[in-house]
Amino acid sequence: MRVAVVSTMSAQTPWSAVTTPNHAEWCERHAATFVARCLPYHEAVADFDFLEDLLRHFDYVWCLDSDAVITNMHTSLDALELDPGLNVCEEGLHEQCPINCGSTIWGSDWRSRELLALLTKHEPEWRQCTWIWQQWIAERLEVCPVKGLVRVHPARAFNSCHHGDRCLWQPGDFVYHPCGVPSAQRVSLIHERLKEVHR
């Protein structure tokens, strides 16, 4: 399986200095290609042409937010029973948006290409959403044209979220993602999780 891991950083992601080596370590262990990019957030969330180009060369592209920590280096993507389209996890913490796209795994077949085309076409719509295209997709999971393009995995499969005072992550989980934690706390929490990485 040919896998690329993409992480995007900017001046607003001070935690990248410690999470980038973490992501690179997983890639080295699992013979994956690591792609670190520097882009402002508003550009990164719509960088679909770059993603589509990667999907021409890899079986799966794992897009991982820069604040996510891979906490189980033994877990491979082979163990996740992935679909060939977009794979996301339930967030399990926020009722208004049932999925979280801070850790997404895109397969290389037509389903991903079709979804990327939809996201490009409907950018003016999802730009108005609180949680951008993650919310746009969540609202259309069971209706055409999105239905059948996305597989929603259980919370904690590859994205254990932390929001406010609620945290789903448990020791041994694949990925810790403090998506709903204030930036001032996020750095210290990431450092704590890095001490608990299972190697």
Side-chain angles (χ1 to χ4, degrees):
M1 181 188 292
R2 298 167 302 166
V3 174
V5 177
V6 180
S7 184
T8 304
M9 60 199 74
S10 71
Q12 284 70 51
T13 61
W15 40 79
S16 298
V18 292
T19 57
T20 297
N22 169 261
H23 300 171
E25 180 183 347
W26 184 90
C27 288
E28 183 177 2
R29 176 174 292 222
H30 295 278
T33 298
F34 182 49
V35 182
R37 309 193 76 212
C38 294
L39 280 178
Y41 182 75
H42 71 279
E43 293 181 27
V45 295
D47 201 15
F48 303 129
D49 287 343
F50 181 77
L51 177 54
E52 187 167 5
D53 184 58
L54 284 176
L55 289 169
R56 295 188 184 99
H57 304 281
F58 295 93
D59 300 310
Y60 287 97
V61 176
W62 182 11
C63 296
L64 192 58
D65 278 6
S66 63
D67 60 351
V69 179
I70 299 173
T71 49
N72 192 333
M73 289 292 169
H74 294 281
T75 304
S76 69
L77 297 197
D78 290 322
L80 300 179
E81 298 182 4
L82 299 170
D83 271 16
L86 172 62
N87 295 267
V88 302
C89 286
E90 296 174 336
E91 183 171 287
L93 294 173
H94 208 296
E95 293 179 0
Q96 290 179 292
C97 196
I99 61 174
N100 185 283
C101 291
S103 175
T104 58
I105 303 172
W106 298 77
S108 60
D109 83 341
W110 65 269
R111 295 169 183 83
S112 288
R113 293 192 296 273
E114 187 165 323
L115 183 56
L116 289 170
L118 286 170
L119 291 173
T120 299
K121 178 181 178 181
H122 294 281
E123 181 173 350
E125 293 177 32
W126 58 255
R127 286 283 185 188
Q128 303 303 313
C129 296
T130 303
W131 294 284
I132 54 168
W133 58 261
Q134 135 181 320
Q135 182 177 345
W136 189 88
I137 288 175
E139 292 170 352
R140 292 160 176 80
L141 284 171
E142 298 303 324
V143 297
C144 291
V146 173
K147 186 175 181 180
L149 305 181
V150 182
R151 177 175 178 181
V152 180
H153 296 252
R156 298 178 52 217
F158 50 90
N159 191 10
S160 298
C161 293
H162 186 171
H163 194 287
D165 60 355
R166 300 178 64 198
C167 181
L168 292 182
W169 183 86
Q170 296 179 23
D173 280 2
F174 189 13
V175 174
Y176 168 72
H177 183 208
C179 51
V181 177
S183 294
Q185 294 176 268
R186 202 175 304 190
V187 174
S188 61
L189 286 167
I190 286 170
H191 276 284
E192 286 302 310
R193 291 294 174 261
L194 284 167
K195 297 174 185 175
E196 301 179 73
V197 173
H198 182 49
R199 292 183 170 87

